Amino acid sequence: MKAARISAPKTWEVMDIETPAIQDGQCLIKLETWSVCGSDIRHGYGPVHPEEEYPMRMGGPCHECAGTIVESRTDEFQVGQRVIVLPSQATTGGLVEYLPGTPDRMALIPDEGDIAEWVMCQPSGTVLYSCQKMGTILGRTVVVFGQGSIGLSFTAITARAGARKVIAVDPEDNRLEFAKRFGATYTINPTKENLDEAMAELTGGEGAEITVEAAGYPDSLNNTFKHVSSNDGRVIIFGIQEGGGDGTIPLVFRSMFKEGITVVPTQGAASADAIDHIQTMVELKQRGWWDPGEMVTHRMNFDDVNAAYDMYENIEDDVVKVVMNM
């Protein structure tokens, strides 16, 4: 089977390896589509790692993938069904042609429709999990810092959950245009207008009831504290901060020193049930509530994995989501 791994800094190697055998309780999935996630770039492909860490593990970093079951040794799933599957952290990553999966890490998707669009329910499902930690959204003001696929998912979901105002913040105008399509009532490009002044005007100087960090940078994290209401405001942290190698980042103490706020770190992939929120997102897409497949802007072949990761890292050609197919 085909598989890919990072063999040197910013260099993918595509090779043929043995197809894995499965055990009782597992399924073998022939993967058909893969997508690049920002965390794959920030914590795997982007940095130059010590020489001894190359080549990196087979198939990684990649965790957004879907395909068709070709062998099943479990009662929960049958051959021929299409699924989103979360790769095991202990074995290979997702950039392989065949991947073993277990029922607790597989979400069933319908037979109809483009599988490259269904796989978008994986990142959007993790956002759905975080939105469930927000408390009441109906009638609230929500500001989302970052409008990549994660931030856009926050924008779309909170808008459909009845937020009174959804304010999308991002330095890329094309992503702000997506945010408007997905339900943002206001957009702010902080490279073109004063963020503090715009937020004060939109929130009457009180800040937003809910702020979301969806970018993974210290500035955006500090802004979630700076612009949250001190009157029962809630900060949702999604983005993973890289920090200085040990995860340490600078925080503006005065911005976060607000007695009335609640800070909620969220990580759906590490929750007790890593798949339920993804399955729920599949069902919401199926009934027309929102289609995260609309975020797909570019399609490439599996063999073009280097170009796909470069495009995503450098935000080339107004990319929002790039998917690869075999």
Side-chain angles (χ1 to χ4, degrees):
M1 71 171 184
K2 277 191 174 183
R5 68 178 178 182
I6 298 175
S7 58
K10 298 185 185 299
T11 303
W12 282 96
E13 176 185 14
V14 178
M15 64 189 72
D16 287 317
I17 65 172
E18 187 175 349
T19 300
I22 61 169
Q23 301 174 351
D24 288 342
Q26 290 184 318
C27 294
L28 185 65
I29 301 104
K30 179 176 173 54
L31 297 180
E32 299 163 33
T33 191
W34 302 260
S35 183
V36 184
C37 173
S39 64
D40 299 334
I41 302 294
R42 296 282 299 282
H43 310 296
Y45 180 75
V48 176
H49 300 274
E51 183 177 355
E52 60 270 18
E53 294 187 19
Y54 298 100
M56 301 181 81
R57 72 170 181 151
M58 195 66 67
C62 175
H63 58 272
E64 297 178 3
C65 46
T68 301
I69 298 171
V70 294
E71 183 182 353
S72 177
R73 296 178 67 175
T74 176
D75 294 334
E76 290 94 328
F77 289 90
Q78 287 77 49
V79 170
Q81 291 181 317
R82 301 200 301 178
V83 293
I84 294 169
V85 58
L86 303 178
S88 169
Q89 297 291 336
T91 55
T92 65
L95 273 167
V96 293
E97 190 174 0
Y98 290 89
L99 183 71
T102 53
D104 61 331
R105 299 183 68 81
M106 296 162 57
L108 186 66
I109 57 178
D111 293 335
E112 70 277 1
D114 185 350
I115 196 169
E117 295 180 1
W118 282 110
V119 78
M120 291 297 105
C121 291
Q122 193 280 332
S124 295
T126 63
V127 170
L128 185 67
Y129 171 86
S130 296
C131 289
Q132 291 170 331
K133 305 294 183 182
M134 288 182 176
T136 299
I137 300 173
L138 188 66
R140 304 281 186 168
T141 294
V142 179
V143 58
V144 183
F145 291 95
Q147 291 296 299
S149 60
I150 295 299
L152 287 170
S153 297
F154 272 109
T155 294
I157 291 170
T158 56
R160 283 154 184 77
R164 181 184 179 190
K165 295 179 181 178
V166 180
I167 304 167
V169 182
D170 197 275
E172 300 290 333
D173 283 336
N174 77 295
R175 295 188 174 187
L176 294 177
E177 288 302 316
F178 268 85
K180 291 177 185 176
R181 282 172 42 197
F182 290 175
T185 52
Y186 304 93
T187 60
I188 302 172
N189 184 328
T191 67
K192 296 182 177 181
E193 56 186 309
N194 186 289
L195 175 63
D196 294 349
E197 293 177 0
M199 283 297 303
E201 180 179 352
L202 291 172
T203 66
E206 296 295 323
E209 287 99 336
I210 301 170
T211 60
V212 179
E213 200 299 296
Y217 294 101
D219 286 349
S220 54
L221 180 60
N222 279 303
N223 277 323
T224 60
F225 291 112
K226 186 176 186 179
H227 295 292
V228 70
S229 171
S230 58
N231 181 21
D232 199 29
R234 184 162 289 223
V235 175
I236 303 296
I237 301 175
F238 187 102
I240 300 174
Q241 300 285 332
E242 186 66 26
D246 60 356
T248 301
I249 62 169
L251 285 176
V252 180
F253 179 75
R254 290 184 179 179
S255 293
M256 64 180 296
F257 192 56
K258 297 177 179 179
E259 187 173 346
I261 69 171
T262 301
V263 181
V264 185
T266 62
Q267 193 176 359
S271 64
D273 187 342
I275 206 70
D276 181 69
H277 44 273
I278 298 171
Q279 189 69 66
T280 300
M281 192 69 244
V282 169
E283 295 167 10
L284 290 172
K285 167 176 159 56
Q286 190 174 21
R287 76 179 196 215
W289 187 75
W290 176 54
D291 182 5
E294 295 175 9
M295 295 189 293
V296 175
T297 54
H298 292 76
R299 297 169 184 260
M300 293 185 175
N301 292 322
F302 184 91
D303 290 342
D304 297 324
V305 55
N306 235 121
Y309 274 67
D310 283 342
M311 170 181 282
Y312 196 93
E313 181 180 30
N314 299 316
I315 318 180
E316 297 172 356
D317 196 29
D318 288 341
V319 65
V320 174
K321 265 300 193 182
V322 55
V323 294
M324 293 165 284
N325 293 91
M326 184 66 74

